Amino acid sequence: MKKDTKSILLKYKSLLGLILLCLIISLITPRFLTVTNIMNVLTQVSVNAILAIGMSFVILTGGIDLSVGSTLAITGAIAASLVKSSGNVLLSLLAALVIGALIGLFNGIIVAKGRLQAFIVTLATMTIFRGVTYVFTDGTPISTLPDNFMAIGNKKLGGIPMPVLIIVIVLIIAWYLLSQTRYGRYVYALGGNEDSARLSGINTDRIKTMVYVICGATAALSGVIVTSRVGSASPNAGSGFELDAIAAVVLGGTSLTGGEGTVTGTMVGAMIIGVLNNGLNLMNVSPYYQLIVKGFVILLAILLDKKNK
């Protein structure tokens, strides 16, 4: 009985941590547990959650993508430029998703075919595409966007913000891909042992490339949401977002060595970061101290994950 309880606690440690965090913050500041604030947290979490869901695919294979922040910036700028010139929201969204997927394809091919470390490759492309964003925007924000485009990040349907609905759709698709399809099984197999996966007949290069394509596409979707919410595409958008995305994946219980984790856990991890940020803001804690607290929480999650292996 004791062993079963321990296994349940380990399995749901991220969710239990989120519940405990919510209880602590609600006791300190009653303003936390209001419908308005909860919706505010979910909206704030949306961008990081979508980024983190895409990052989960990459980390499950034992890789990492540091270029998602830069991908978010360039795709957001392209979407803003297109919608401003054409007024066509669907065209700008599709263009952003295609560009994001192509950036992911570029990363994936170099990592898979070049047999290079994902950390080094995506560190380089992070810098490259940040530079491309500055060149494309000439270092200035693209603003004065049409209202129908800004509705993506600001409109509510049935009282629920659009970014929250987008999270739900992305989460369901990602969950289905990883848990209900052969591709998902191959992703886990690749992360568990790449050599064994290759010897069993899995095209590991294709699987590895595709996870970066997915990650690039989710980064692009995040870019559109960010641009829509603020009504402007800044060349600095997304700076540091890759770290929050990785943190959400780790807090959600996904192993950095690959082969273990879920996108639902990643969503919980993103919520932990969002709730922590929101709670500290409600308590009027300085942003400088917030960084320190967030860093310690992430470090604790990594240590607990290591201890339980």
Side-chain angles (χ1 to χ4, degrees):
M1 185 71 178
K2 187 177 180 181
K3 188 177 180 181
D4 291 340
T5 303
K6 184 179 179 181
S7 63
I8 292 171
L9 289 174
L10 288 174
K11 185 177 180 180
Y12 297 105
K13 61 182 182 293
S14 298
L15 181 58
L16 292 171
L18 175 60
I19 294 170
L20 180 61
L21 181 63
C22 289
L23 287 173
I24 292 171
I25 293 175
S26 62
L27 288 173
I28 297 172
T29 170
R31 289 183 297 162
F32 174 75
L33 281 181
T34 62
V35 174
T36 301
N37 189 59
I38 295 300
M39 284 299 173
N40 183 42
V41 171
L42 288 170
T43 304
Q44 291 173 349
V45 161
S46 61
V47 171
N48 187 37
I50 294 170
L51 275 178
I53 288 170
M55 186 72 75
S56 294
F57 281 81
V58 174
I59 292 179
L60 281 170
T61 64
I64 202 161
D65 189 349
L66 299 177
S67 69
V68 291
S70 298
T71 302
L72 180 154
I74 184 61
T75 52
I78 288 170
S81 178
L82 274 176
V83 79
K84 193 172 181 179
S85 60
S86 69
N88 192 321
V89 174
L90 182 59
L91 174 64
S92 65
L93 175 60
L94 290 175
L97 292 175
V98 169
I99 296 298
L102 288 174
I103 290 173
L105 180 64
F106 181 72
N107 286 333
I109 289 174
I110 297 176
V111 171
K113 298 295 184 182
R115 302 287 187 266
L116 298 175
Q117 288 290 328
F119 181 90
I120 300 300
V121 172
T122 58
L123 180 63
T125 55
M126 175 182 73
T127 306
I128 291 168
F129 291 112
R130 182 64 63 181
V132 170
T133 307
Y134 277 106
V135 171
F136 182 80
T137 62
D138 198 26
T140 57
I142 301 172
S143 54
T144 319
L145 305 180
D147 291 340
N148 55 351
F149 179 80
M150 292 178 64
I152 296 172
N154 297 285
K155 188 177 179 180
K156 292 184 179 180
L157 291 177
I160 302 174
M162 280 287 286
V164 177
L165 295 174
I166 294 171
I167 292 176
V168 174
I169 294 169
V170 172
L171 183 62
I172 291 171
I173 293 171
W175 171 84
Y176 180 81
L177 280 175
L178 284 175
S179 65
Q180 305 296 315
T181 68
R182 182 182 298 175
Y183 174 77
R185 292 193 294 273
Y186 288 171
V187 168
Y188 282 102
L190 175 59
N193 191 311
E194 184 172 351
D195 291 334
S196 296
R198 187 181 296 110
L199 289 171
S200 66
I202 298 174
N203 188 333
T204 54
D205 285 352
R206 183 183 299 171
I207 301 300
K208 189 178 290 187
T209 300
M210 275 303 299
V211 297
Y212 286 93
V213 172
I214 292 169
C215 192
T218 54
L221 181 57
S222 296
V224 171
I225 294 173
V226 168
T227 304
S228 173
R229 280 183 62 190
V230 301
S232 173
S234 169
N236 294 315
S239 294
F241 280 27
E242 60 280 344
L243 301 179
D244 275 352
I246 295 168
V249 177
V250 173
L251 285 169
T254 297
S255 172
L256 284 170
T257 56
E260 182 183 339
T262 63
V263 287
T264 51
T266 294
M267 184 65 211
V268 172
M271 284 299 299
I272 290 173
I273 294 175
V275 167
L276 188 62
N277 286 337
N278 180 262
L280 293 173
N281 283 331
L282 289 176
M283 289 183 275
N284 296 316
V285 176
S286 165
Y288 307 133
Y289 287 106
Q290 289 187 33
L291 288 173
I292 296 171
V293 172
K294 190 192 299 184
F296 273 112
V297 169
I298 295 166
L299 183 60
L300 178 62
I302 295 171
L303 290 172
L304 288 173
D305 182 61
K306 184 74 174 177
K307 185 179 179 181
N308 294 323
K309 291 191 181 300

